[in-house]
């Protein structure tokens, strides 16, 4: 397997952090630090920060993503944001199916699939998150859980569309806990995801797919995680809120 076939992507997922004013400050600090990156750099920010984020990163190598989107084009969905709204602003990526949305906001594989299809149809690039709970890992059903999520979340996504999909493997027990998966655990599941995609599509499509690891990735452990064959990048929470830490992870991915 040739890792150089794939695009390394480091994406920050800011979650519910940073006001527009703070977003501008953080991006102004990040952009000069990552300007020579040899990987794709993305900041996925709260909806209200998108406008200033796009402005602050204009003409730089930092791309902007949203943290969710609805599947309908428009309509009576109070509080929701459509793919068309994001696209018109110039947003390129969108995080979908994050475990926090699955845990706290009733997100299911069915709704992740609907959002994924809608995002792709609108020309957005979805970062689809999958990952097992600690209990599921302890019961030794990690692979079943991941295979189910991959199959359902990507249901009816075409091979052509898959080229615009990024998968983020985020073990739920490693998110915001300071407890990172070991590089071996991350590699094992990312390789399993690739094998599952190869079965669903074909080996070429699987080899071209960028698979990120997420869960307490930071400037101290990024090097080791990213050295693994099937770990093509990172989806970074806490460490993406500190310019120097985020830049150090981008540097690790640029090697
Ligand atoms: P942390 O890096 O804070 O653990 O968050 C990971 C994450 O959920 C990224 O989407």
């Amino acid at each position: 397997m040739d890792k150089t076939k794939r695009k390394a992507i480091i994406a920050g997922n800011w979650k519910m952090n940073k006001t527009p004013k703070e977003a501008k400050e953080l991006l102004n600090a990040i952009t000069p630090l990552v300007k020579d990156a040899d990987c794709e750099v993305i900041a996925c920010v709260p909806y209200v920060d998108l406008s200033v984020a796009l402005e602050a990163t204009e003409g730089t190598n930092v791309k902007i993503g949203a943290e969710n989107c609805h599947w309908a084009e428009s309509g009576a969905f109070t509080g929701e944001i459509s793919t068309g709204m994001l696209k018109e602003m110039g947003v390129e990526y969108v995080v979908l199916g994050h475990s926090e949305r699955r845990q706290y906001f009733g997100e299911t594989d069915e709704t992740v699939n609907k959002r994924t299809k809608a995002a792709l149809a609108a020309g957005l690039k979805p970062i689809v998150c999958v990952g097992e709970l600690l209990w599921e890992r302890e019961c030794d059903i990690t692979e079943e859980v991941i295979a189910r999520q991959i199959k359902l979340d990507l249901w009816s996504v075409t091979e052509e569309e898959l080229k615009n999909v990024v998968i983020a493997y985020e073990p739920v027990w490693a998110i915001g806990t300071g407890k990172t998966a070991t590089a071996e655990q991350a590699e094992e599941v990312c390789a399993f995801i690739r094998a599952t995609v190869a079965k669903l599509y074909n080996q070429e499509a699987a080899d071209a797919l960028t698979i990120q690891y997420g869960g307490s990735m930071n400037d101290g452990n990024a090097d080791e995680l990213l050295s693994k064959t099937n770990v093509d990048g990172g989806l970074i929470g806490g460490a993406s809120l500190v310019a120097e830490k985020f830049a150090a992870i981008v540097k690790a991915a640029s090697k």
Side-chain angles (χ1 to χ4, degrees):
M1 202 170 309
D2 183 2
K3 198 170 175 175
T4 58
K5 276 188 200 156
R6 299 189 284 273
K7 206 168 29 171
I9 303 180
I10 298 298
N13 172 12
W14 288 11
K15 309 190 179 184
M16 196 174 73
N17 292 293
K18 304 294 173 188
T19 66
K21 187 168 165 275
E22 291 165 346
K24 189 175 172 181
E25 284 165 10
L26 178 55
L27 285 164
N28 284 341
I30 287 173
T31 45
L33 298 178
V34 302
K35 68 176 180 4
D36 299 320
D38 191 16
C39 66
E40 194 138 326
V41 184
I42 309 167
C44 298
V45 307
Y47 292 133
V48 294
D49 293 346
L50 287 171
S51 189
V52 285
L54 287 158
E55 218 176 274
T57 53
E58 205 182 334
T60 75
N61 57 333
V62 179
K63 311 265 174 69
I64 296 301
E67 297 179 15
N68 196 12
C69 67
H70 198 266
W71 55 85
E73 274 176 33
S74 61
F77 300 102
T78 303
E80 291 297 312
I81 299 285
S82 75
T83 56
M85 293 169 185
L86 298 176
K87 190 69 190 163
E88 189 182 298
M89 290 186 83
V91 170
E92 199 171 325
Y93 286 88
V94 59
V95 176
L96 294 176
H98 191 277
S99 65
E100 286 147 19
R101 300 230 49 100
R102 294 180 191 255
Q103 271 184 299
Y104 309 134
F105 303 103
E107 187 81 74
T108 64
D109 287 311
E110 188 187 359
T111 54
V112 175
N113 176 251
K114 283 169 128 177
R115 294 181 210 281
T116 302
K117 290 288 296 170
L120 287 165
L124 292 165
K125 297 174 185 166
I127 301 176
V128 179
C129 305
V130 297
E132 80 287 3
L133 306 172
L134 181 58
W135 186 52
E136 291 166 334
R137 176 166 281 267
E138 284 170 353
C139 290
D140 201 22
I141 59 163
T142 299
E143 292 194 347
E144 281 104 306
V145 171
I146 300 291
R148 184 188 156 89
Q149 289 174 337
I150 292 289
K151 286 177 192 169
L152 295 178
D153 298 353
L154 296 182
W155 179 72
S156 85
V157 169
T158 66
E159 189 183 337
E160 196 52 35
E161 288 177 324
L162 188 72
K163 292 178 184 160
N164 286 322
V165 174
V166 175
I167 300 287
Y169 167 54
E170 301 208 314
V172 180
W173 47 272
I175 295 177
T177 56
K179 199 174 166 185
T180 324
T182 63
E184 288 69 32
Q185 286 170 325
E187 168 65 11
E188 193 181 11
V189 181
C190 289
F192 176 75
I193 291 171
R194 201 175 307 286
T196 305
V197 170
K199 268 193 223 156
L200 288 175
Y201 295 85
N202 55 60
Q203 193 61 50
E204 196 187 337
D207 283 344
L209 179 71
T210 296
I211 304 176
Q212 302 174 312
Y213 167 78
S216 301
M217 195 191 252
N218 58 42
D219 45 330
N221 58 28
D223 249 336
E224 199 190 349
L225 286 159
L226 294 167
S227 73
K228 294 294 177 188
T229 313
N230 286 286
V231 181
D232 307 314
L235 186 56
I236 324 295
S240 74
L241 300 171
V242 183
E244 294 73 21
K245 289 187 183 179
F246 186 63
I249 301 170
V250 168
K251 202 169 167 195
S254 301
K255 283 182 190 158

